[in-house]
Amino acid sequence: DGRVSSVSVQQLIEQISYMNKAKMIDHIGGVEEGAYEIYNFVEKIIKQDILGCETTELEGKDLGTKEESTAPEEVVFGDVLWDAHDEQEQMEAFQQASNSTCELGFEKYFERLNDLVAAPAPIPPLLVSGGPGSGKSLLLSKWIQLQQKHSPNTLILYHFVGRPMSTSSESALIIKRLTLKLMQHSWLVSPLTLDPAKLLEEFPRWLEKLSARHQGSIIIIIDSIDQIQQAEKHMKWLIDPLPVNVRVIVSVNVETCPQAWRLWPTLHLDPLNSKDVKSLISAECNSANVKLTKEQEKKLERHCRSATTCNALYVTLLGKTIACVGNTGNIDETLQQCFQCQDTVSLYRLVLRSIQESLQSDREKGLLREILCVIGVSHNGVSESELMELYPELSSAVLASLVHSLHKMCLLTYGCGLLKFQHLQAWEMVRLEYMEEGENVISAYRQKLVEYFTTQLRVLILICSSFNSRDRVTWRSADELPWLFQQQGDKQKLHKCLLNLFVSQNLYKRGHFAELLSYWQLVGKDKSSMAAEYFDSLKEYEKSCEGEESMICLADLYETLGRFLKDLGLLSQAVAPLQRSLEIRETALDPDHPRVAQSLHQLAGVYVQWKKFGNAEQLYKQALEISENAYGAEHPRVARELDALATLYQKQNKYEQAEQLRKKSFKIRQKAARRKGSLCGFALLRQRALQLEELTLGKDTPDNARTLNELGVLYYLQNNLETAELFLKRSLEMRERVLGPDHPDCAQSLNNLAALYNEKKHYDKAEELYEKALDIRRRALAPDHPSLAYTVKHLAVLYKKMGKLDKAVPLYELAVEIRQKSFGPKHPSVATALVNLAVLYCQMKKQVEALPLYERALKIYEDSFGHMHPRVGETLKNLAVLSYEGGDFEKAAELYKRAMEIKEAETLLIGGKAPSRHSSSGDTFSLKSALSPNVFLEHGQR
């Protein structure tokens, strides 16, 4: 009735009112209403305060009381959705990895990792290797925490790979996540492809582009990289020279490390010494107030001396097992049982049996088995509520008790609210303990999950009018059902599942593009037939749609299909679903509704790719007008439309119009960032504003010269070459006055101006400036310095373009020398330099000189990647051409046949056309089309 029921409640309310971070929901009414209100409030806090998403409330009859942004992430990342589930999973994986109070003598490893960051570039990735459970994840997570504390300007991007075949081990999702994190930090608004082949191909260019924007170092850490599906093939970017300010650290198990990676510098984790073993076990025992005798400690020390019994996971598990016995049990008896276990898997088996013995009934033991097996055969884990629905006889009390025991003993953990195995060895033990009878047992558990999630999908269709219910059900059904059908090898059911539009929509909108494509490849459908089937399925579904809600839902499905087809490059087929989505929204909602603007924006995007700029401009202008009317002129959605129009004008060489729109967009985003307060984007803007203020005062300082250089680069990227030239010239003049004309920073400005003149086709000016930059760098820098290599490479390419092949030869030879000094004579980068030189000799009709270079490159590629690698195929094709031109037709045919076998194998493996990022002519492809502009502009200090 509105009155406070007790003094204690009154005191609680008073306390809350004085706390800044506490939130209070004041609700009078039914319990269900209250719970619903709490849920909405918590969801709002997570979206706005934690994830930084924006929700927009629109008041008015036409638009309804509230229009929540369906894809808030699009404001920042073009049309790519940020998957909150994947990001949460990574945050939890990091917390779990660092969840240990023992440092295990990591100080010596920390020093080695610090040396890597401080070492001059270029350097290949660092391998952190060790056996399973040796503490690699713990080491990396602890070091990340230290770096974050002591080096705030260093940007650290990490990814912890979980179980093989889980979502966290999918290469395209990993690369997408890393790219988006880079874009987020750089405050860059740019469309990003979702096509997995293009995503993997373009990542090195994104890394180059975005690292140039960052003032400090960038460290990329991928834990358990060898668990990624086809790691060596999908992580090819690791073998190329990294940008100057980028360092990469990857961890691998010794046994599963790819052969080509073993050439990299390696930090191997030694087995734990007796002191570390003792401290780990003592920490676990102390937490349970268990005291070991001297004799027991000696026995433990003697036992933990082999390679398999002195790793961090084994010793931790051993300590927990002893601590669980406590003061009530027989510790000596427990130790004897533990001493029979010579590896982590067998110790896990002992732990499981002790949990079984603690259970009161056979029914509970049976439920334990069911829980572990169902989690074991799932794609990404199973939630507690799903377990209780799968097993109605399982009470919440029993489940809570079982989960507590399994979690405490490192068998299970939580990730995104799902129960999953904490370590690979725990998963392996469950398979050995419960599934040794073979595939039939595994298949039976998979079938149980299939039936459960199929039922969930049926429920989904019935409650289509409830958007919240659909979203919750589909996330899990979309994650599990197609994957389970794939594992069962049931192509017919997989095909039917994919044609369930809610499943496909969910996978696509969360960015699981590669996963969706792989399922279609498995059922034997090419892109065009897949598109036709989706469209037919949608038209059939439309017949059953009645009422406004279901029509809005249908419009979303049509839009998702159109975007999906656009990303696949099927532009003509993408238009029809996007047009239908627009028609439905105009009819079901209102022609001026924000979702109509969304449809116009997506349709315009297709016309841009189709080079139908007139159509696109008209649609973008309509979307802009609707967005301004709905949200106001200073909303991020308006900024998105302005950016899209600016990009369109830029493609049509209308630079002045593009620049005006970009400035308007920039001001809107600046205000939006200020409203959000703590976003790094606003901090960067404020820093840039201060730098510009200093520049206007005209001070001659090295920092101001660097900022002028950066502004020149930014205008260059916007294709505003005249303004870029002004800033770059001012930067060069200031550096020559302050630092002297022979300083390496002057070489950077010369290099950037040369790149700009090269872009403007003023080759003579570019040649003169590149030569000056090369002269300075040769005198000032080490022979293998990356900045020297940078200038050598681009001057050589320019000479080649100008037809000055004799001048290009010594520079291409120097490029080979630099790469040999940097990486060693057998590194793939050396092979690429050899191919570039060979191509040049071929152009000069010096086939005799080219032949040994190609042969040496072939040997390096074969030794590094194996005989069936695409780069081997490209080199074989070049050798075939040489043999043909030399009149040795038989050898040419043999080489060409081998090259085609490799190409066919690659096509079969990928399931479609996947052009290699490296052409057969190495670095000699078109500069303008193949690489983003800032590959040629040096952004920060080198």
Side-chain angles (χ1 to χ4, degrees), residues 609-634:
Q609 285 192 26
W610 218 350
K611 305 273 192 285
K612 296 190 175 184
F613 297 138
N615 301 39
E617 182 176 1
Q618 185 184 356
L619 295 170
Y620 277 140
K621 283 181 174 177
Q622 282 180 259
L624 176 61
E625 187 181 348
I626 293 170
S627 297
E628 284 179 334
N629 290 335
Y631 297 114
E634 295 187 345

Side-chain angles (χ1 to χ4, degrees), residues 907-924:
T907 304
L908 286 170
L909 191 63
I910 297 171
K913 189 180 178 187
S916 170
R917 188 164 54 79
H918 295 269
S919 72
S920 58
S921 57
D923 294 334
T924 62

Side-chain angles (χ1 to χ4, degrees), residues 1-3 26-30 33:
D1 58 2
R3 291 196 298 274
D26 193 356
H27 173 75
I28 301 162
E33 272 182 47

Side-chain angles (χ1 to χ4, degrees), residues 521-780:
Q521 286 164 8
L522 186 68
V523 298
K525 300 286 181 181
D526 63 18
K527 292 176 181 179
S528 293
S529 57
M530 174 189 70
E533 287 194 35
Y534 269 138
F535 199 59
D536 290 343
S537 183
L538 257 176
K539 285 192 286 187
E540 191 62 33
Y541 176 70
E542 187 170 350
K543 293 175 185 175
S544 65
C545 288
E546 293 178 6
E548 186 180 295
E549 287 295 326
S550 59
M551 291 305 288
I552 292 169
C553 169
L554 178 67
D556 290 346
L557 291 169
Y558 270 119
E559 185 191 276
T560 301
L561 176 59
R563 290 172 63 176
F564 181 46
L565 298 180
K566 182 183 79 170
D567 282 328
L568 285 170
L570 303 173
L571 301 180
S572 58
Q573 287 164 285
V575 170
L578 288 173
Q579 189 69 47
R580 185 67 189 124
S581 171
L582 175 61
E583 290 165 5
I584 293 169
R585 284 173 175 169
E586 284 180 330
T587 307
L589 296 166
D590 187 274
D592 292 327
H593 195 281
R595 288 199 183 184
V596 173
Q598 172 74 6
S599 288
L600 291 164
H601 180 92
Q602 295 300 336
L603 193 54
V606 175
Y607 284 127
V608 170
Q609 285 192 26
W610 218 350
K611 305 273 192 285
K612 296 190 175 184
F613 297 138
N615 301 39
E617 182 176 1
Q618 185 184 356
L619 295 170
Y620 277 140
K621 283 181 174 177
Q622 282 180 259
L624 176 61
E625 187 181 348
I626 293 170
S627 297
E628 284 179 334
N629 290 335
Y631 297 114
E634 295 187 345
H635 191 275
R637 284 296 175 105
V638 174
R640 183 180 76 157
E641 303 306 336
L642 290 169
D643 279 327
L645 263 175
T647 303
L648 178 65
Y649 287 142
Q650 190 172 307
K651 287 179 183 289
Q652 298 174 80
N653 300 328
K654 298 177 181 177
Y655 301 123
E656 195 174 332
Q657 288 167 275
E659 182 64 16
Q660 286 173 356
L661 294 176
R662 288 209 191 284
K663 282 179 178 175
K664 279 181 73 176
S665 167
F666 182 80
K667 285 178 181 176
I668 292 169
R669 294 183 188 281
Q670 188 178 26
K671 286 183 178 178
R674 191 179 289 120
R675 282 196 298 272
K676 284 186 179 182
S678 61
L679 277 186
C680 65
F682 180 56
L684 291 172
L685 281 168
R686 188 168 177 277
Q687 183 184 351
R688 174 68 70 232
L690 289 170
Q691 287 174 337
L692 286 170
E693 191 178 337
E694 281 185 9
L695 285 172
T696 56
L697 296 174
K699 293 179 184 175
D700 276 6
T701 66
D703 281 347
N704 282 354
R706 178 170 52 80
T707 304
L708 285 165
N709 179 67
E710 288 173 2
L711 286 167
V713 172
L714 289 172
Y715 276 108
Y716 179 94
L717 293 174
Q718 294 169 1
N719 225 5
N720 189 340
L721 301 184
E722 302 309 317
T723 309
E725 185 178 353
L726 286 172
F727 276 109
L728 291 172
K729 277 183 174 178
R730 284 179 63 192
S731 170
L732 175 61
E733 290 162 4
M734 193 179 288
R735 281 174 165 170
E736 285 177 338
R737 284 196 301 271
V738 175
L739 303 169
D742 294 329
H743 194 277
D745 283 4
C746 293
Q748 184 195 53
S749 292
L750 288 164
N751 204 92
N752 289 345
L753 265 173
L756 183 136
Y757 288 132
N758 184 31
E759 182 74 15
K760 294 171 78 173
K761 297 186 169 52
H762 297 170
Y763 298 134
D764 291 335
K765 284 185 178 180
E767 179 185 4
E768 182 188 348
L769 294 173
Y770 270 137
E771 285 174 347
K772 280 186 180 178
L774 181 60
D775 182 54
I776 293 170
R777 286 178 165 172
R778 269 185 158 155
R779 284 183 281 112

Side-chain angles (χ1 to χ4, degrees), residues 96 253-254 282 388 547 617 737-738 764 800:
Q96 183 192 315
N253 280 333
V254 178
S282 297
M388 292 179 72
E617 182 176 1
R737 284 196 301 271
V738 175
D764 291 335
K800 191 174 173 188

